[in-house]
Amino acid sequence: VVERQPCSPQALLDEVGDIFRSSARSKGLQLSSSWHGLPAAQYLGDSLRLRQMLTILVGNAVKFTPAGRVDVEEIG
């Protein structure tokens, strides 16, 4: 069942960034995340599934990036 609850894109980005920041740093990568929408924006959505998708995408980016940086950006 897909949930429809208020969720903050900025909070999702921050949470996922916090999960992978140390593993990126240990590989010598710089990890950054940016939300370009309104600072306090809230959207109806399934934050659990969005977090799962972002976690997989960012995890793979960190895992398969040999050098440099990983930038995660959401445009609202």
Side-chain angles (χ1 to χ4, degrees), residues 6 9 12 14 19 21 26 36-37 43 46 52 71 76:
L12 288 172
D14 291 344
I19 292 169
R21 204 162 318 284
S26 70
H36 298 286
Y43 296 95
D46 194 326
Q52 287 173 336
D71 297 315

Side-chain angles (χ1 to χ4, degrees), residues 2-75:
V2 175
E3 300 291 329
R4 287 181 45 95
Q5 303 171 18
C7 62
S8 164
Q10 180 67 59
L12 288 172
L13 281 175
D14 291 344
E15 290 171 22
V16 173
D18 290 344
I19 292 169
F20 292 103
R21 204 162 318 284
S22 65
S23 60
R25 192 177 305 128
S26 70
K27 283 187 68 178
L29 299 173
Q30 183 178 3
L31 174 63
S32 70
S33 60
S34 302
W35 165 246
H36 298 286
L38 297 172
Q42 294 273 325
Y43 296 95
L44 289 179
D46 194 326
S47 61
L48 175 63
R49 286 184 175 77
L50 289 170
R51 187 178 299 105
Q52 287 173 336
M53 288 186 287
L54 279 172
T55 299
I56 290 167
L57 290 170
V58 175
N60 283 340
V62 169
K63 182 177 179 179
F64 295 111
T65 300
R69 53 186 294 126
V70 173
D71 297 315
V72 182
E73 296 187 42
E74 281 191 76
I75 300 171

